[in-house]
Amino acid sequence: SIASADMDSNQLEAFLTAQTKKQGGITSDQAAVIAKFWKNHRTKIHESLINQSRWDNVLKNMNWRVDLKSQSRHIDQINTPVAIVEMELGKSGQ
């Protein structure tokens, strides 16, 4: 829960306090150890989760534009915006 929410210090403290008050929850010593570990390794854990959830491909380039129809058989289709998006994917590290 802590890692998936990427909790800051205030959120972490509130979460761990709630866990210590739960019946069958953690002790205050365990909460202190978890808090210290999270504060020391938060960046590494967050990066690891991102790497595990990412596909091999990464976004290398993106182009976009919005077109408007200037002519149509039906008057209600004129000036209808259409978004065109072009994404270039590549392998991670290349």
Side-chain angles (χ1 to χ4, degrees), residues 8-62:
D8 63 19
S9 296
N10 293 333
Q11 293 170 324
L12 177 65
E13 184 178 334
F15 178 77
L16 292 175
T17 300
Q19 295 302 311
T20 58
K21 293 181 179 179
K22 252 189 196 178
Q23 186 171 352
I26 61 176
T27 66
S28 55
D29 289 339
Q30 290 171 325
V33 169
I34 292 169
K36 184 177 180 181
F37 181 83
W38 177 247
K39 289 174 185 174
N40 290 334
H41 299 288
R42 177 181 179 185
T43 305
K44 290 178 188 176
I45 294 168
H46 185 69
E47 288 174 4
S48 176
L49 288 175
I50 289 172
N51 288 334
Q52 290 174 24
S53 65
R54 183 172 48 198
W55 295 328
D56 287 340
N57 291 330
V58 295
L59 182 63
K60 297 188 107 177
N61 190 21
M62 186 176 99

